[in-house]
Amino acid sequence: MIKIAPSILSADFSALINDINDVKSAGAEYLHIDVMDGNFVPNISIGIPVVKSLRKATDMFLDVHLMIDRPQRYVKAFCDAGADLVTFHLEACQPQDIFEAISAIKLCGKKVGLSIKPKTPAVTLLPYILNLDLVLVMTVEPGFGGQSFMNDQLPKIATVRQMINNMNPSCELEVDGGIDPITSKLIKEAGANVLVAGNAIFGQENRKSAIETIRNA
Ligand code: DX5
Ligand code: ZN
């Protein structure tokens, strides 16, 4: 089953709950929340208090994507704030910290995801894949919404799908960056089952048709 995860980075932050209710009623499965620290990525977005407020305001599944340095310092705080899934970047910390962050998230009873940037090869996921609920493959350089999909990431998505099928079939494969009704078809064919989209959903008047077009492409 394909799941759609609208990224609130492209939503109207002055009327956030309206946008969230809109994509919820349009059938989106996850709500994707991009956390940026101005360090790991060259942009700053939102953090723990916003997740806490959203947890009170919606029952949607909160898919928190941490683009922050040394995420092991903050994963518990995001879990406590109400995230359902906390995904952090493999490039943002050392291997022992990755295991530490995975354990911390699991101890909170939440799902854990690990993300890789476009230049990071699939094989780097191998030591962790058995312990993950989700792998997130970035198809733009993280930091901004509205960028163009990097077609050269498609073989990597297919490789990660193979790794997941062989080692941990219940693990989800999420793709994030430049997803629209054209690229979504290629991404699904490569084996992803969770599609993040910001601009292609919140940039459209009719969110229901935007979501359905991406889902059924
Ligand atoms: C980028 C973020 C994405 C972004 C996607 O660093 O992780 O989630 O919001 O936006 P679009 O779909 O517009 O590329
Ligand atoms: Zn994201």
Side-chain angles (χ1 to χ4, degrees):
M1 179 203 160
I2 298 293
K3 295 177 181 170
I4 305 293
S7 162
I8 60 168
L9 197 60
S10 294
D12 177 357
F13 281 103
S14 71
L16 192 50
I17 196 62
N18 297 345
D19 274 355
I20 291 171
N21 289 336
D22 206 13
V23 294
K24 184 189 173 193
S25 63
E29 283 82 3
Y30 289 0
L31 189 70
H32 188 83
I33 302 174
D34 287 304
V35 176
M36 303 179 181
D37 67 351
N39 230 331
F40 181 71
V41 290
N43 196 5
I44 297 176
S45 58
I46 53 174
I48 295 156
V50 175
V51 174
K52 206 171 168 187
S53 292
L54 291 183
R55 179 71 296 156
K56 290 187 196 137
T58 180
D59 63 0
M60 281 192 82
F61 182 96
L62 301 184
D63 161 18
V64 174
H65 177 194
L66 299 181
M67 286 161 276
I68 64 175
D69 265 334
R70 294 183 290 143
Q72 70 275 15
R73 297 173 296 164
Y74 292 108
V75 289
K76 185 176 183 305
F78 280 97
C79 290
D80 292 345
D84 293 296
L85 160 72
V86 176
T87 298
F88 60 95
H89 270 267
L90 181 143
E91 305 87 354
C93 50
Q94 300 298 313
Q96 69 270 22
D97 303 324
I98 296 177
F99 286 115
E100 185 194 314
I102 290 172
S103 302
I105 295 166
K106 286 191 166 175
L107 264 176
C108 293
K110 305 303 177 92
K111 292 193 169 178
V112 57
L114 191 60
S115 182
I116 51 174
K117 297 202 285 183
K119 292 194 188 83
T120 306
V123 68
T124 58
L125 294 163
L126 272 176
Y128 315 106
I129 206 153
L130 285 173
N131 301 306
L132 299 175
D133 298 299
L134 178 143
V135 171
L136 170 54
V137 175
M138 291 303 301
T139 44
V140 296
E141 284 299 335
F144 300 91
Q147 302 182 76
S148 298
F149 179 76
M150 297 169 71
N151 270 291
D152 61 357
Q153 297 301 302
L154 286 167
K156 187 162 87 184
I157 298 168
T159 302
V160 175
R161 168 47 66 197
Q162 278 304 319
M163 288 165 55
I164 286 174
N165 286 355
N166 292 338
M167 297 175 72
N168 183 4
S170 63
C171 182
E172 299 202 282
L173 175 48
E174 183 175 52
V175 173
D176 182 5
I179 298 186
D180 62 24
I182 293 166
T183 56
S184 68
K185 187 174 192 307
L186 308 170
I187 295 160
K188 282 191 289 179
E189 283 167 2
N193 75 299
V194 185
L195 307 185
V196 177
N199 197 44
I201 293 175
F202 288 111
Q204 298 289 318
E205 267 309 293
N206 187 336
R207 277 71 188 265
K208 190 167 171 60
S209 95
I211 288 172
E212 286 315 305
T213 316
I214 291 169
R215 194 194 294 285
N216 301 321

